[in-house]
Amino acid sequence: MSTTRFLTGITPSGTPHLGNYAGAIRPAVTASRQPGADNFYFLADYHALIKCQDPARIHRSTLEIAASWLACGLNPEHVVFYRQSDVPEIPELNWFLTCVTGKGVLNRAHAYKASQDKNAEAGRDLDDGVTAGLFMYPVLMAADILMFNAHKVPVGRDQIQHIEMARDMASSFNHLYGEHFVLPEAAIEESVATLPGLDGRKMSKSYDNTIPLFAPRNELKKLISSIVTDSRAPGEPKETEGSALFQLYQAFATPEETETMRQAFANGIAWGEAKTMLFERIDAELSPMRERYEDLMAHPEKVEAALQIGAERARALSRPFIAKLRAAVGLRSLASQDSGSHKAKAAKVALPSFKQYRESDGKFYFKFMAADGQLLLQSTGFEQPKQAGQSIAQLQQQGADALTALAPMLQWADGVTHSDVAQALHTLQEAAKA
């Protein structure tokens, strides 16, 4: 592929609000119009089932979110916009990846650990309420990414671990069955707009402080009028710092309009007047899109047609790719003859491996993985990649003898013994001699 492929998932878990629009939808739609990139956007309805068992809510939310993206300008003719459940090759790949992923890797997933921590604080069994779906969530996310060999996955910093896990799964599969997967990279969204809600806290459904993206005009005006402000009277200068009203205005206004509002705050604008200006500015941007949204909600067959265009494009890629992966793992016609490369690859024994990478702190790290993908040990950070590479070489050449010398730079995984690591290093050394 000569162009960079970006992939973004949207979980249908509620009604989109202004925070979703400013933080995700608007920048993604803008990015989708840039040349030199393939853009994949999907509705992650399988993921939604992990937390929601209300069929009506899943169905309604899928419609609302798809209609919102289309109304905001996402063009299904220019991007691949599809529903996850319309691509049956994704759950099949999910199983392939499950079979090369160590349980120890999934034990360290943030969402699973957070659930266990919450249970521990409440004095419950650590796995109380934890479904296999929640535990296996990182594998399904990896299948979403690897099915289309995405190069870049836009995520916040809290999602970096999932991309690292997807890379590990891809590496494990490639090691066993040949080079099939691109190793994806996280495209860190440093400047994601975070809008305040009605009460000044981050706009979030969990705080019940949201402003629905396509609320009717009268409802939008009423909600904006209810934004919490301080008691400063008209004529008294007002602070823009920490003002939810000003931050919301800034997210929709031009730099010139923002500066005008900033001056109005300094001059003591009345809160009622400021709220009216905010309402008019937001409504001016959303009104044309709201009309389109209402038409799509009234005619869900239009939304379905757009998603089917995306499904057809997605499956044009996923069908031949899963057939290739099936053949690679040995799931093929008994009448077919193995090629020499297949035989060679089938005879290849899985080995422990080192993975070197760079973290968000700018330092270079490596980790040592068992043949089944289990983490054995991880290094501390190095200032230069060469330092990490030299430590890896020392471990590969000296085996267990290097563990003592490098001990200050090594962190052992939970439950892993010195003997486990020594044996894995010995296996590597023996394979190098063969």
Side-chain angles (χ1 to χ4, degrees):
M1 292 172 288
S2 59
T3 57
T4 302
R5 181 168 289 177
F6 289 83
L7 182 140
T8 299
I10 311 109
T11 304
S13 59
T15 302
H17 53 70
L18 292 187
N20 300 140
Y21 173 72
I25 300 175
R26 184 170 60 186
V29 170
T30 299
S32 74
R33 295 168 178 161
Q34 302 303 312
D38 288 334
N39 291 284
F40 287 63
Y41 300 92
F42 69 96
L43 298 166
D45 48 355
Y46 281 142
H47 287 291
L49 298 178
I50 294 172
K51 293 184 177 180
C52 180
Q53 285 79 45
D54 182 347
R57 182 182 174 192
I58 294 288
H59 184 266
R60 177 70 180 183
S61 180
T62 301
L63 173 60
E64 289 179 341
I65 291 177
S68 295
W69 280 76
L70 293 170
C72 290
L74 193 69
N75 189 338
E77 298 291 343
H78 295 163
V79 302
V80 183
F81 182 51
Y82 60 99
R83 186 169 35 208
Q84 186 185 31
S85 59
D86 282 338
V87 185
E89 292 78 17
I90 291 173
E92 183 169 1
L93 176 55
N94 177 69
W95 180 248
F96 289 174
L97 297 177
T98 297
C99 295
V100 300
T101 302
K103 179 176 179 292
V105 173
L106 300 177
N107 284 340
R108 291 183 288 276
H110 294 327
Y112 176 56
K113 290 181 69 175
S115 294
Q116 287 198 315
D117 291 344
K118 187 176 179 180
N119 283 333
E121 290 174 7
R124 297 188 292 261
D125 181 86
L126 291 182
D127 284 335
D128 183 55
V130 176
T131 65
L134 173 63
F135 184 70
M136 300 297 295
Y137 167 84
V139 186
L140 181 56
M141 183 169 178
D144 292 325
I145 297 166
L146 299 178
M147 173 53 69
F148 299 106
N149 272 326
H151 300 95
K152 302 281 187 179
V153 184
V155 291
R157 291 197 171 274
D158 60 337
Q159 292 285 314
I160 291 177
Q161 185 198 44
H162 287 131
I163 310 305
E164 284 294 329
M165 294 172 84
R167 289 173 63 88
D168 288 346
M169 293 175 209
S171 294
S172 295
F173 192 96
N174 287 349
H175 179 72
L176 287 168
Y177 301 112
E179 296 296 318
H180 296 283
F181 296 119
V182 169
L183 301 189
E185 296 181 2
I188 308 301
E189 298 177 321
E190 299 283 8
S191 57
V192 173
T194 301
L195 297 192
L198 299 174
D199 57 2
R201 294 182 294 175
K202 175 185 174 181
M203 190 176 293
S204 170
K205 291 185 285 289
S206 61
Y207 294 146
D208 194 27
N209 67 351
T210 64
I211 300 175
L213 175 56
F214 291 122
R217 180 179 165 88
N218 289 340
E219 182 184 344
L220 176 63
K221 186 173 185 178
K222 183 178 180 181
L223 287 168
I224 289 176
S225 296
S226 69
I227 294 172
V228 174
T229 52
D230 60 35
S231 59
R232 279 178 254 198
E236 289 186 69
K238 297 168 176 63
E239 296 290 336
T240 58
E241 186 70 30
S243 168
L245 195 152
F246 183 81
Q247 290 177 52
L248 283 165
Y249 187 85
Q250 187 174 29
F252 286 84
T254 65
E256 294 76 18
E257 290 170 331
T258 299
E259 201 51 46
T260 299
M261 178 64 90
R262 191 186 304 278
Q263 189 59 51
F265 266 55
N267 294 340
I269 187 173
W271 287 126
E273 183 181 352
K275 288 178 179 180
T276 297
M277 290 178 65
L278 173 61
F279 163 70
E280 294 295 348
R281 187 65 195 81
I282 293 178
D283 189 61
E285 181 166 334
L286 297 184
S287 183
M289 292 185 278
R290 184 190 300 123
E291 184 176 345
R292 170 69 172 149
Y293 174 79
E294 291 173 350
D295 176 70
L296 290 169
M297 292 299 293
H299 300 92
E301 69 277 6
K302 295 181 180 180
V303 180
E304 184 64 29
L307 290 174
Q308 288 306 313
I309 291 173
E312 185 176 334
R313 290 182 172 181
R315 295 206 67 199
L317 298 171
S318 65
R319 279 191 295 253
F321 189 45
I322 204 70
K324 180 182 176 185
L325 298 179
R326 277 172 155 261
V329 301
L331 305 181
R332 53 185 180 271
S333 170
L334 299 179
S336 66
Q337 298 296 316
D338 283 348
S339 67
S341 60
H342 278 141
K343 290 179 180 178
K345 184 54 73 173
K348 186 175 181 181
V349 177
L351 294 172
S353 60
F354 286 93
K355 294 184 172 71
Q356 188 173 338
Y357 59 97
R358 189 178 189 180
E359 263 291 7
S360 56
D361 60 5
K363 293 185 178 181
F364 297 86
Y365 297 77
F366 68 82
K367 49 190 172 184
F368 186 40
M369 315 290 291
D372 65 357
Q374 179 189 3
L375 177 67
L376 297 175
L377 60 81
Q378 181 170 318
S379 74
T380 55
F382 296 89
E383 295 298 331
Q384 300 296 329
K386 183 178 179 180
Q387 296 170 311
Q390 289 172 336
S391 297
I392 291 174
Q394 187 174 348
L395 287 164
Q396 289 172 327
Q397 294 164 12
Q398 300 176 14
D401 293 340
L403 292 175
T404 301
L406 296 175
M409 294 172 281
L410 303 177
Q411 298 174 342
W412 300 74
D414 294 342
V416 173
T417 67
H418 182 281
S419 177
D420 293 332
V421 179
Q423 181 57 49
L425 289 170
H426 178 71
T427 300
L428 269 186
Q429 288 180 307
E430 289 300 308
K433 296 175 184 177

